[in-house]
């Protein structure tokens, strides 16, 4: 069974977006392509257990096993060697992507303290949107008792939009809380 947001996109949002952008062909309508979550764990150089905790938290949030990212260069000032683990990332596609998007919009973002909407300038020029979160505790799946350190993460929502305006129309139509 398809997730709610995927079904709503196909039934309701797609036609609205096509009409608003003035597109002739239904296949031109922008859609979500993938969502990439990245958690940088620079402190893992001193404490290797942070990587394990980050992997477990990402698995809990996304329902998918994350990839441990490694340092590409050695930086002596940070006591960093090439190949040391420095973060975790997950790429979501298909049904998992739509389920995560729904949880992000409906449950996680409203839990951010003093939330007044996301900034409209976080588009990259090609219709993709990146958010930086300060703490992973906004996700209801995370158990407060098992958290040893508050970690932030970046969430990039990649779309098939040609430009920022198409991406903005797509995300706003799907209920993404972007300020005007």
């Amino acid at each position: 069974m398809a997730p709610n947001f995927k079904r709503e996109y196909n039934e309701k949002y797609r036609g609205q977006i096509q009409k608003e952008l003035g597109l002739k062909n239904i296949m031109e309508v922008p859609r979500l392509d993938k969502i990439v979550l990245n958690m940088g764990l620079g402190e893992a150089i001193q404490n290797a257990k942070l990587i394990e905790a980050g992997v477990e938290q990402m698995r809990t949030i996304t329902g998918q096993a994350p990839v441990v990212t490694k340092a590409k260069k050695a930086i002596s000032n940070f006591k960093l060697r090439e190949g040391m683990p420095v973060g975790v990332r997950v790429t979501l596609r298909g049904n998992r992507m739509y389920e995560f998007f729904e949880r992000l919009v409906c449950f996680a973002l409203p839990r951010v303290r003093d939330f007044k909407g996301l900034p409209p300038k976080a588009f990259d020029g090609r219709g993709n949107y990146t958010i930086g979160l300060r703490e992973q505790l906004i996700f209801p799946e995370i158990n407060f008792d098992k958290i040893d350190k508050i970690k932030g993460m970046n969430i990039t929502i990649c779309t098939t939009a040609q430009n920022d305006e198409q991406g903005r129309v797509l995300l706003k139509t799907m209920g993404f809380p972007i300020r005007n």
Side-chain angles (χ1 to χ4, degrees), residues 115-179:
F115 185 70
K116 292 180 176 69
L118 295 168
K121 295 185 178 180
F123 284 94
D124 67 349
R126 295 189 177 150
N128 304 322
Y129 192 83
T130 302
I131 314 166
L133 299 177
R134 295 178 195 261
E135 53 187 39
Q136 77 276 34
L137 299 173
I138 65 168
F139 291 99
E141 302 91 21
I142 298 289
N143 188 352
F144 285 101
D145 300 332
K146 294 183 179 178
I147 299 299
D148 53 345
K149 187 164 178 31
I150 291 179
K151 297 182 258 319
M153 66 177 66
N154 292 337
I155 301 173
T156 302
I157 300 168
C158 300
T159 66
T160 60
Q162 301 294 319
N163 53 39
D164 287 350
E165 185 53 38
Q166 286 186 355
R168 186 174 293 109
V169 169
L170 168 69
L171 293 177
K172 280 193 93 95
T173 305
M174 290 184 75
F176 205 64
I178 298 173
R179 287 191 303 254

Side-chain angles (χ1 to χ4, degrees), residues 36 46 58-59 70 79-80 86 88 90 102 107 111 120 129 152 154 164 169 180:
V36 180
Q46 286 88 18
M58 276 290 220
R59 182 179 289 130
K70 299 190 182 319
K79 298 178 182 160
L80 180 67
V86 291
V88 293
V90 175
E102 182 176 10
F107 302 114
R111 290 178 63 159
Y129 192 83
N154 292 337
D164 287 350
V169 169
N180 291 332

Side-chain angles (χ1 to χ4, degrees), residues 16-34:
Q16 289 176 2
I17 296 168
Q18 183 180 9
K19 191 184 299 180
E20 189 169 337
L21 294 174
L23 301 172
K24 292 181 178 76
N25 192 336
I26 193 79
M27 297 306 286
E28 289 181 297
V29 177
R31 64 182 185 283
L32 294 181
D33 188 30
K34 64 183 176 181

Side-chain angles (χ1 to χ4, degrees), residues 70-76 79-86:
K70 299 190 182 319
K72 293 179 182 172
K73 284 184 173 179
I75 303 172
S76 62
K79 298 178 182 160
L80 180 67
R81 304 272 178 266
E82 187 176 336
M84 287 177 77
V86 291

